[in-house]
Amino acid sequence: MRMVRQKTQIRKIENLAARQVTFSKRRRGLFKKAQELSTLCDVDIALIVFSATGKLFQYPSSSMNQVLERHRLQSQNVGELRQPSREMQTESRKSAMLSKELAEKSIELRQMKGEDLQGLDLQGLDKLEAVIESGLVEVVKTKGERMLKEISTLKKKEAQLLEENAFLKRQLAMMDTSIGQMGIHDQCCDHHSLELTISSLSSRDPPHNYNISSSDTCLKLGQPFSN
């Protein structure tokens, strides 16, 4: 019959001598297994063991200080990745505050438009009414100022147009006066040319003895004929 090996129960060895022997054997076995693991798998291993008396035993596969430094940096990096930085925490708080403020302003805007009023009590409705009335006063005031500004601008344009119209009228009157003076000058020139023509005719025919002054028809320049 095959004997079944009983599993050794792991517990503290009370006998001091036996404990020392077990510690020495198992420590050497542990260090041997670590050395084999480092060689077979090309890994860095560092073992640190303190005995019950406080004696230090260690096994580094390469350099103990280098392995410990890598362990320290790795632990630090993992901690930084798990814990967000202060800047990220600050930005996160700001984002949360802005989101909350945006939601509150959106609710206030809808309430000012007469929406979502079911959640307001009498005091809230009074406050909303005061806000709307205050805003309405500002709207009316701004509208009045804009209207006065538009009226002032239109009056200035009207005055400018009236001034331009008066200027054009003066220019037209001056043109009419110039045209009248030119007509009178042309008429005088025509009368003078007619007198010269009659005088020339009289000097050319003296034998006929035209008595212009004794004729029944009297021609006088600038005067109507008389019968």
Side-chain angles (χ1 to χ4, degrees), residues 79-93:
E80 290 178 354
L81 291 175
R82 291 179 178 178
Q83 296 181 358
S85 61
R86 292 183 178 180
E87 294 181 357
M88 292 181 62
Q89 293 178 355
T90 303
E91 293 296 329
S92 179
R93 286 195 296 267

Side-chain angles (χ1 to χ4, degrees), residues 107 111 115-126 128:
I107 294 175
Q111 290 175 349
E115 303 174 0
D116 298 340
L117 302 178
Q118 294 80 7
L120 294 177
D121 55 6
L122 185 58
Q123 184 178 1
L125 292 173
D126 290 338
L128 179 61

